[in-house]
Structures are given as C-alpha cells and as structure tokens.
Amino acid sequence: MAFSTGLHLLPLILSLVVAARLGGNIAERSGPKAVITVGMIMWTIGLLVLAQVDSDTDFSVTGSALALMGAALGFTMPTTLDVILSSLPTEHVGAGSALANSMRQIGASIGVAALGSTLNTVYRNGVDPDVPAQLPAATQDAIRDNVAAAAKAADILPTAQGRTLLESAQEAFVSGMSAVALICAALAALTTILVITLLPARDTETATLIVADAPTSA
C-alpha cells in the first residue's frame, strides 16, 4: 500500500522538482510576481480538477491534477521565500527565515486541523446510513472514523452488505476530499488576487540599482 501510494505521488514530486528549477530562472527574467501568480493559478486549477474526482475517475485525471499542483508548489514556495528574505536587511535574514518557517508550520497545523475536520464530517455523514447495525459499537465507530476500517469490516460481512458498505465509505471519503479541495481552491484563488494586487512586480532594490546604472542622456 505504501509503495503504491508513493508511485501515485510521483507526478506531484517530479513536477515539483522540475518547476523549482525553472521558477528561479523565470523569476530572474520576469520577476517573482509573475512566477508566484502563475503558480497560484496552477494551484487553483489543480484543486478544482481534484474536486471533480470520484471513486471511478481514471488516475490520468488525478495524476494530471497532482502534477499541476506539484508544479505550482515548485513555483511558489522557493520564490516566495526568496521574496521574503530579499526584503530584509542582511542582519535579519536568519531571523526572517526562522519566522517564515515557523509561520509555515503553524499554518500547516491549523490547515490540517480545519480541513481534516471538514473531511471527517463529510465522510461521517456520507457513510453513517450504511453502517450495519449488527456490528459491535466499537467497529461502527471505527467505520465512521476512517475508510480503512470500513474496508476491513466489509471483508467479514455478507458479500452484498460488505460491497454496499465499502462503496458507501469510498464515495463518502471522495466527497470529503472534494469538499476540502474546493475550500483550498477558494483560498488559492483569494491568494492569487492578493498576489496580483499587493506584490510588487520586481524587487524594489533591484529596480533601483537598474535605474542607477542606466546611462544618462547628454
């Protein structure tokens, strides 16, 4: 199972590596705002595609969405960190890097908690009507908690009932993931608007140096 999961994540990982290398080169020519904006648009599109996935969707669709999101991650994360650090005086770069990393971890923790709660709520509501009443209370609670427990319980139930439970759990889980993807897509779209509105096209210091070095007319 872990090996299969790793293989299915390869589109995301490979596109992340490629985009991280390309992002720096593009930022040097077009400025970080262009790279981050494109990355956020890719995030939004990838999440919207992922939100349409159901239990019967071919992996080519899911893999394409993951590849798009990996490329978005490669464009946005390194470039954003460069923008943050380049805006600080040299003596504050270390503190700025530590603060940015801390805020990223705090944001990830809050996001996992909030989005995980959303996923769990949608999953519970979807699978609850099909949880067999004859199962022990502990098993019923486990089924309502995660799809793996539902798959395990389906193996010990009569064939028709087990299939119904497993299909219900899978559909409920995918519905929960779709809800999470839609929330993330909305946040990504909002972030895109903020980037376009607030982020300077080029680093102010770099622009100043270009102007200063430009030849003056007689």
Side-chain angles (χ1 to χ4, degrees):
M1 180 65 74
F3 181 72
S4 176
T5 301
L7 287 178
H8 283 81
L9 288 175
L10 277 179
L12 185 149
I13 296 169
L14 293 176
S15 62
L16 188 158
V17 172
V18 173
R21 293 181 63 87
L22 292 176
N25 296 331
I26 298 173
E28 290 179 1
R29 297 194 301 269
S30 304
K33 180 175 183 176
V35 177
I36 296 173
T37 300
V38 170
M40 292 309 305
I41 292 173
M42 293 171 70
W43 262 118
T44 305
I45 295 173
L47 287 164
L48 288 174
V49 172
L50 205 60
Q52 308 306 313
V53 169
D54 58 34
S55 57
D56 297 322
T57 301
D58 188 81
F59 180 71
S60 61
V61 178
T62 308
S64 298
L66 291 175
L68 198 60
M69 293 165 64
L73 190 61
F75 278 145
T76 54
M77 284 196 64
T79 308
T80 301
L81 183 59
D82 286 344
V83 170
I84 293 172
L85 297 184
S86 65
S87 67
L88 299 173
T90 304
E91 63 272 17
H92 294 155
V93 168
S97 177
L99 179 60
N101 188 52
S102 297
M103 294 303 295
R104 178 178 61 81
Q105 293 180 1
I106 292 171
S109 299
I110 295 174
V112 168
L115 296 174
S117 177
T118 300
L119 170 59
N120 186 257
T121 299
V122 175
Y123 171 76
R124 276 178 168 267
N125 291 339
V127 77
D128 189 63
D130 294 306
V131 176
Q134 73 268 28
L135 291 175
T139 303
Q140 293 185 38
D141 290 339
I143 292 171
R144 295 185 182 98
D145 283 338
N146 62 84
V147 69
K152 187 175 180 180
D155 290 337
I156 63 175
L157 288 168
T159 303
Q161 194 173 27
R163 186 185 301 113
T164 299
L165 173 61
L166 183 59
E167 290 176 353
S168 176
Q170 290 173 338
E171 291 174 1
F173 181 80
V174 172
S175 296
M177 290 299 295
S178 295
V180 168
L182 284 174
I183 294 172
C184 292
L187 293 175
L190 176 60
T191 303
T192 304
I193 295 172
L194 292 176
V195 168
I196 294 172
T197 305
L198 302 177
L199 188 66
R202 287 185 177 273
D203 181 71
T204 304
E205 182 178 351
T206 301
T208 302
L209 290 175
I210 292 174
V211 172
D213 292 340
T216 56
S217 57

